[in-house]
Amino acid sequence: MGSFLAFTIFGLVTGSAYAIAASGLVLTYATTRVFNIAHGALGMVLSFVFWDFSVRQGMPTLLALVLVLGVVAPGIGLLIQRVVARGLGDAPVSVSLVVTVALLVLSIGAATTIWPNEARSISPFFPETSFEIFGGSYITAHQVLTVVLSLLVAVLLYGLLNRTRIGTAMRASVDNPELLKLFGGNPERVAGLAWAIGVSLAGLAGILLVSTVGLDYYALTLLVINAYAAAMLGRLKNLPLTFVGAMTLGLVTSYASGYLPTDGVLNQVRNVIPALFLFAVIVLMPQAQLRIGQVKGIVSAPLPSPLKAGGWGGATLLFVAMVVSVVSEANLLLVGIALTYAMVMLSLVLLTGYGGHVSLSQLTFAGVGALAYIKMGNTGLTGILIAGLVAALSGVLVALPSIRLTGLYLALSTLAFGVIMDKLVFNADIGFGSNGSLNAQRLTLLGTSIESTRVYVWLMAVFFVGMAWLLLLARRGRLGRMLIALRDSQAACGTLGLDARWFRIGLFAVSAGMAGVAGALYAGLRGTVGANDFLYFQSLILLLLAVVFGVTSMTGAALGGTGLMLLPVLQSSYPAVGGLLFVVIAVGAILLARNPNGLSIYLFSLGRLADRRLGDVVRQRLPELPVPGGSLAGARQHARSEHQANEDAERSLGSVGLADDEELLEEGTRVAQ
Amino acid sequence: MSHSESIASRGGHRALLEVDGVVVRFGGVVAVNEARFDVEAGTVTGLIGPNGAGKTTCFNVISGLQRPTSGKVWFDGRNVSNTPVHRRSKMGMGRTFQRLEAFGSLTVRDNVRVAADIHSGALPLRRRSAGKVDIDALLERVGIAEYARERADSIPTGTARLLELARCLASQPKLLLLDEPSSGLDETETDDFGDLLRDLAAEGCAILMVEHDMDLVMGVCDTIHVLDFGSIIAQGDPAAIRNDPAVQKAYLGYSDEADEGHPVRENHAQSGGYPGDEYDTSTDLPPVEATMTLPAVGSGIGRGERR
Ligand SMILES: Nc1ncnc2c1ncn2[C@@H]1O[C@H](COP(=O)(O)OP(=O)(O)OP(=O)(O)O)[C@@H](O)[C@H]1O
Ligand SMILES: [Mg+2]
């Protein structure tokens, strides 16, 4: 009984810290409609700053605390609001998620650069003091302080929101952002305040938790899952319910660590309680209503005609064939890895570029595919296919709980899913084994196992091109139109009779399946794979790079895949800038997030420019190629009639059909409001 | 009067659409208050009222985008209060939006094609084209054929409203809910539009229309319901509505008070518009000018009195 009491107290203490973190998250989200995935990461950075001030520079604890929470944190919050988050609330959810994922990666990159990995610790506040409570249990002064601070935060937030003018403005903007102006609120000021307070609360929670969690880049970053799991009880808006959620989560976590067996699978469960709690809450949430007047996505989709796509595909295969025949064995592996990532990025083209949804665990699906491929032992094409199906099924599993909710909840579930899979499956005996790895066989085609890595890598390129081609085909047809329609207006699709919920699940499943196929091929390439090949953090980098290079085009996927492959290579050759590279990618993603076409679009316009300057000269020298079964002109005519909007791009479609980059639909960016 | 009583009083007859005591509250604001009205097949019915009266909210409840606080919606003899949006559409409800919801990244033609695809219900992968609906004929009928190849986010507001109508017609609805369909149209276009509505009604379609253009409303509607502060204050044919003192008070009274400020209403009037929408009377105008649209409404009624 005594231990039960102790666990209860411990649970309430942890819950208090979660409540502080969660209320900051809710405050920012409700007032600015930007969901800050980097909430935990900012708490992590601030904990490091606190360590720097109080331990490294030896400032008095209280001074350090006041400086961090009163100056540094609000400063960071204001900076983010001014520089990064301005206007983000009106952008599609996918954009604001990408931007805050970039903030997360930026935080980790900055922290690893400024405070390189070494053992650090922060002792609890008042380490010597503790109080005995009934039954012989003790409660430390730090714990008391945590609870008191969370109560203080609750009271202060209540006072701010209910007793001040700007607080009224903040509350108004929860229900109706338009109302804000009427209360004399300057939206910028309100948003700035929300960010400043939000980041401070993230810092406070981080600092309070550091003595139990440890000063670790990733553990504190994942605190955001605990925070939003708690906040979901209040639909990410309601502060009192958020506190209830946080306390419940704290208690569940504490009881789990007290009463779950310390061996077997259940031992691992305690590490993923917040993620499981999140899924439980999501399942219990009531149906969300389709929103009207949602802001439309930024519109632009480079779409080559099937003919041109085929030409590019052929060229890609030729190019890869050339590359694999000259590079060394070690570099061959790198080409294969790049192709793997490129395929996973294709799955993001479908999900994010066409569908407007975000997944933060795409590599986890690749991992599921790899695991299925290995465990099944079927090395034929069917093995790859089944691996894809298994991954697709896991995608359904992730998307199903949030079926009745908006896309934001789906994205938030994916991060939790990545963590659950990593801890509960990949690192367990049913997966790759704890810190272990599994051996994988090469793909067998026509009865022969493809032992030559050169041939295998080229085959991977065939898969990439095949997937890309199918994707383009789908995009041009009915499916593609429906995807774009859904992205533009879910409400309109609903009133036209489309059940957006199941459509989204199907889309998510196909995307996960594509990643799964990539994972299976990757397993065959490497021969041995482990949980570290599919880290959730890598999924975040993958998302950012996909956005940087363009998440609407096959070119973007190919370039992004290459970039992601090069990242660790660069980091190991220049260890000093390892973290800085994350910063660069994050900044790139922040700059490009509002334009889903990424860097590729500049490449395309470069191609058109070159064509305008040199195209005619080149065409004069080239002989007209005869096309079997109908004239090329006819084919081009067809393409023209289908896409009149791109006359400009069409004109540059050379005589061979390969002369240009992908066509661009009107790239006029449309931001409603 | 409860729903069963209302049926009994009409001898068991049931209209295509029956709004039965719907209440919608947003926090402290009662947007719709015990609204109760019917829409018969083959008629054009108007739903009018000052800005912020709750018309759009009513539409959202009918089409299933907004859960009412209380009350029921009956469609085609069935209680659809708990039926999801897409199912109501399959039953034959179609609507357009005051704040446009055209698929901006698609061409005008593809907007309609998607609607036909969805309506035909085939799996998206099947290569069968849109089924029975002739898309080009539909564009022609609504009068936007010349825009077929243009992107929906590059066409004028009035055209976009017609596009929403065409898109809606592609799913062959029994009931059309039109939210301010004529704003953005010029005079001749509005006349053509009125004719189109009469034709559709003659084909058996029921039309419920929210509209600020009183000439259009008075010209095409068989029945008009007037909403003020969320409550139905008058129902009847155009002539009766023109002469109804409560209606005149609602419009003129509102326009008098407006300067003192109905902050919530004015605000909504401003937020309810479509970006770049130069014509919509309820958009982009500063509050004082916004009220100037009301005398136009009032004068419409006044003209009626004179007649
Ligand atoms: N989502 C919402 N949250 C809070 N209040 C809302 C919401 N939607 C509408 N309202 C309020 O409900 C009332 C009715 O709005 P509604 O849009 O139905 O009016 P309307 O009759 O369509 O006006 P208009 O002629 O300007 O289109 C207004 O006071 C509005 O501010
Ligand atoms: Mg309205």
Side-chain angles (χ1 to χ4, degrees):
Chain A
M1 197 56 218
S3 69
F4 178 77
L5 187 66
F7 286 129
T8 307
I9 290 172
F10 186 72
L12 290 177
V13 171
T14 322
S16 300
Y18 293 166
I20 295 174
S23 54
L25 191 64
V26 167
L27 190 73
T28 322
Y29 175 65
T31 23
T32 65
R33 277 174 301 155
V34 175
F35 191 89
N36 183 12
I37 290 269
H39 195 66
L42 291 169
M44 177 272 294
V45 167
L46 290 167
S47 305
F48 273 92
V49 175
F50 178 68
W51 172 87
D52 201 284
F53 285 4
S54 66
V55 178
R56 197 178 70 82
Q57 305 184 20
M59 282 183 203
T61 308
L62 190 64
L63 177 65
L65 196 64
V66 169
L67 274 184
V68 170
L69 299 182
V71 180
V72 180
I76 293 179
L78 275 177
L79 194 73
I80 293 176
Q81 191 270 324
R82 285 289 131 84
V83 179
V84 178
R86 196 185 280 259
L88 212 53
D90 295 330
V93 174
S94 59
V95 172
S96 60
L97 275 173
V98 165
V99 168
T100 56
V101 165
L103 281 177
L104 185 160
V105 169
L106 188 116
S107 302
I108 287 187
T112 49
T113 310
I114 304 172
W115 301 282
N117 209 353
E118 64 177 55
R120 294 184 186 85
S121 67
I122 296 177
S123 51
F125 298 114
F126 314 113
E128 318 281 78
T129 321
S130 61
F131 313 96
E132 189 179 349
I133 43 173
F134 22 69
S137 306
Y138 279 87
I139 178 165
T140 67
H142 181 92
Q143 291 176 323
V144 174
L145 186 70
T146 306
V147 176
V148 168
L149 281 175
S150 84
L151 291 177
L152 195 67
V153 165
V155 169
L156 286 181
L157 281 181
Y158 179 85
L160 173 75
L161 291 176
N162 294 289
R163 293 276 180 274
T164 65
R165 200 178 163 77
I166 195 155
T168 313
M170 283 172 138
R171 262 190 312 140
S173 61
V174 175
D175 297 323
N176 187 350
E178 313 281 344
L179 282 181
L180 196 101
K181 291 168 203 134
L182 289 168
F183 286 99
N186 170 352
E188 291 292 319
R189 240 205 351 263
V190 170
L193 187 68
W195 272 98
I197 297 177
V199 174
S200 285
L201 290 177
L204 179 59
I207 292 168
L208 286 171
L209 281 168
V210 145
S211 54
T212 37
V213 177
L215 201 51
D216 177 272
Y217 309 117
Y218 298 96
L220 282 170
T221 296
L222 286 185
L223 182 64
V224 71
I225 296 187
N226 307 30
Y228 64 67
M232 274 179 190
L233 207 63
R235 276 190 169 269
L236 304 177
K237 283 184 177 173
N238 182 321
L239 279 174
L241 277 178
T242 299
F243 269 78
V244 173
M247 291 302 168
T248 315
L249 178 58
L251 286 173
V252 173
T253 316
S254 174
Y255 292 143
S257 71
Y259 295 111
L260 281 178
T262 48
D263 52 353
V265 184
L266 284 181
N267 180 36
Q268 281 297 324
V269 166
R270 71 186 68 207
N271 292 327
V272 295
I273 295 282
L276 292 174
F277 182 84
L278 172 116
F279 277 105
V281 175
I282 280 186
V283 169
L284 294 178
M285 282 174 69
Q287 171 82 50
Q289 296 176 2
L290 286 179
R291 272 207 291 166
I292 316 168
Q294 243 172 334
V295 179
K296 279 76 177 175
I298 300 164
V299 182
S300 166
L303 260 196
S305 64
L307 188 76
K308 219 162 137 190
W312 270 104
T316 308
L317 288 181
L318 266 177
F319 177 71
V320 174
M322 256 158 54
V323 169
V324 297
S325 59
V326 294
V327 298
S328 69
E329 192 78 16
N331 287 342
L332 205 51
L333 209 60
L334 290 181
V335 177
I337 294 173
L339 283 166
T340 308
Y341 289 145
M343 276 184 263
V344 179
M345 287 197 183
L346 281 186
S347 74
L348 280 183
V349 170
L350 176 68
L351 185 71
T352 310
Y354 297 167
H357 290 289
V358 173
S359 159
L360 306 178
S361 62
Q362 216 56 8
L363 277 181
T364 304
F365 294 121
V368 171
L371 197 59
Y373 176 75
I374 295 171
K375 291 274 174 180
M376 220 157 28
N378 179 344
T379 61
L381 270 181
T382 43
I384 301 273
L385 210 72
I386 294 174
L389 282 179
V390 172
L393 212 68
S394 70
V396 172
L397 229 57
V398 181
L400 208 52
S402 58
I403 179 170
R404 296 168 306 154
L405 307 171
T406 58
L408 173 64
Y409 289 86
L410 174 57
L412 296 183
S413 332
T414 58
L415 186 60
F417 173 73
V419 173
I420 290 179
M421 286 302 284
D422 187 48
K423 299 243 163 73
L424 225 49
V425 178
F426 290 173
N427 270 308
D429 292 336
I430 46 166
F432 302 104
S434 165
N435 286 323
S437 59
L438 288 177
N439 293 333
Q441 302 291 312
R442 283 276 164 86
L443 178 66
T444 314
L445 274 187
L446 307 170
T448 44
S449 176
I450 299 166
E451 291 309 326
S452 155
T453 308
R454 287 182 206 286
V455 177
Y456 189 85
V457 169
W458 188 77
L459 258 178
M460 289 177 81
V462 173
F463 269 90
F464 171 77
V465 168
M467 275 188 197
W469 195 73
L470 280 178
L471 216 56
L472 283 171
L473 210 66
R475 169 65 186 80
R476 293 184 85 89
R478 293 162 52 109
L479 181 66
R481 281 197 298 274
M482 279 189 198
L483 273 175
I484 301 297
L486 258 179
R487 192 188 63 185
D488 282 357
S489 171
Q490 282 208 26
C493 282
T495 57
L496 292 170
L498 185 64
D499 190 350
R501 304 172 304 174
W502 288 101
F503 204 89
R504 181 171 82 194
I505 288 187
L507 174 72
F508 200 79
V510 173
S511 166
M514 288 170 68
V517 167
L521 288 168
Y522 175 80
L525 173 78
R526 298 303 301 263
T528 51
V529 286
N532 284 349
D533 290 307
F534 310 106
L535 289 176
Y536 72 88
F537 183 66
Q538 190 79 346
S539 295
L540 301 185
I541 308 278
L542 181 116
L543 173 68
L544 294 189
L545 275 178
V547 169
V548 166
F549 285 100
V551 74
T552 53
S553 64
M554 312 304 143
T555 314
L559 292 177
T562 315
L564 189 58
M565 172 276 285
L566 284 176
L567 190 66
V569 178
L570 283 175
Q571 281 176 330
S572 57
S573 15
Y574 310 99
V577 300
L580 277 185
L581 278 176
F582 288 149
V583 175
V584 171
I585 292 173
V587 170
I590 289 172
L591 291 176
L592 289 163
R594 285 171 175 85
N595 176 358
N597 305 298
L599 288 178
S600 309
I601 199 149
Y602 300 107
L603 208 68
F604 297 148
S605 33
L606 210 69
R608 271 209 303 282
L609 190 76
D611 185 67
R612 217 169 297 143
R613 290 275 162 81
L614 307 169
D616 289 336
V617 184
V618 175
R619 270 187 287 276
Q620 273 169 15
R621 308 250 165 101
L622 280 177
E624 279 276 339
L625 290 189
V627 173
S631 77
L632 189 63
R636 234 181 294 150
Q637 204 77 55
H638 177 67
R640 182 183 306 265
S641 68
E642 271 206 344
H643 282 277
Q644 275 278 327
N646 336 326
E647 273 169 327
D648 193 51
E650 280 294 331
R651 232 178 293 126
S652 62
L653 182 71
S655 53
V656 196
L658 279 178
D660 195 16
D661 49 54
E662 306 183 10
E663 305 161 18
L664 292 175
L665 284 178
E666 192 54 39
E667 59 247 37
T669 54
R670 167 179 186 226
V671 184
Q673 285 215 319
Chain B
M1 183 168 71
S2 83
H3 182 74
S4 47
E5 282 171 84
S6 74
I7 294 170
S9 66
R10 273 178 277 124
H13 168 70
R14 218 169 231 195
L16 181 67
L17 174 76
E18 296 180 15
V19 174
D20 187 18
V22 164
V23 178
V24 180
R25 273 196 207 97
F26 297 112
V29 183
V30 184
V32 181
N33 189 10
E34 290 277 328
R36 207 181 293 276
F37 57 86
D38 297 348
V39 177
E40 303 278 352
T43 64
V44 182
T45 307
L47 182 62
I48 62 171
N51 286 338
K55 306 178 295 291
T56 299
T57 309
C58 258
F59 267 30
N60 290 346
V61 170
I62 296 169
S63 57
L65 288 168
Q66 170 75 51
R67 225 170 287 125
T69 313
S70 64
K72 294 195 186 80
V73 176
W74 296 77
F75 182 63
D76 221 359
R78 277 161 57 190
N79 181 352
V80 293
S81 307
N82 294 314
T83 311
V85 190
H86 64 274
R87 204 83 52 65
R88 293 190 204 194
S89 161
K90 294 275 181 226
M91 289 174 68
M93 262 192 212
R95 76 166 284 182
T96 65
F97 295 85
Q98 177 181 7
R99 190 172 180 164
L100 288 171
E101 296 273 339
F103 306 129
S105 351
L106 296 175
T107 62
V108 166
R109 188 168 189 284
D110 277 352
N111 263 267
V112 181
R113 196 137 70 122
V114 166
D117 283 345
I118 294 173
H119 178 64
S120 73
L123 280 176
L125 282 176
R126 288 248 301 271
R127 295 214 103 208
R128 196 162 60 86
S129 69
K132 294 154 284 182
V133 185
D134 184 343
I135 290 153
D136 292 311
L138 203 53
L139 292 177
E140 196 70 53
R141 178 168 193 195
V142 174
I144 53 172
E146 58 182 305
Y147 294 97
R149 295 194 183 290
E150 265 167 64
R151 274 170 61 111
D153 58 2
S154 66
I155 57 178
T157 316
T159 316
R161 291 194 187 283
L162 293 176
L163 165 59
E164 283 205 359
L165 173 61
R167 190 174 68 179
C168 194
L169 290 175
S171 53
Q172 298 167 324
K174 291 183 208 159
L175 169 69
L176 266 176
L177 303 164
L178 307 177
D179 202 343
E180 305 202 3
S182 87
S183 57
L185 299 182
D186 66 26
E187 223 165 292
T188 38
E189 284 169 334
T190 306
D191 287 345
D192 293 346
F193 178 72
D195 294 342
L196 176 61
L197 290 187
R198 291 291 354 156
D199 287 352
L200 287 169
E203 288 163 21
C205 193
I207 297 171
L208 179 63
M209 170 170 75
V210 167
E211 192 42 81
H212 280 304
D213 180 340
M214 281 305 133
D215 291 335
L216 179 65
V217 171
M218 296 297 164
V220 302
C221 289
D222 301 293
T223 317
I224 296 173
H225 306 292
V226 186
L227 207 55
D228 188 31
F229 283 115
S231 305
I232 297 284
I233 55 165
Q235 315 188 288
D237 59 26
I241 293 297
R242 268 193 207 109
N243 300 321
D244 191 305
V247 176
Q248 287 165 24
K249 185 160 173 292
Y251 274 95
L252 300 171
Y254 176 64
S255 84
D256 287 344
E257 282 169 42
D259 295 64
E260 289 142 43
H262 276 281
V264 178
R265 292 177 153 207
E266 278 168 19
N267 157 70
H268 179 72
Q270 282 174 1
S271 68
Y274 182 66
D277 174 349
E278 317 97 273
Y279 301 103
D280 190 335
T281 51
S282 62
T283 333
D284 288 336
L285 298 168
V288 179
E289 283 177 65
T291 63
M292 286 171 57
T293 63
L294 291 167
V297 172
S299 69
I301 290 167
R303 226 171 2 197
E305 264 181 336
R306 256 178 274 123
R307 249 176 242 165

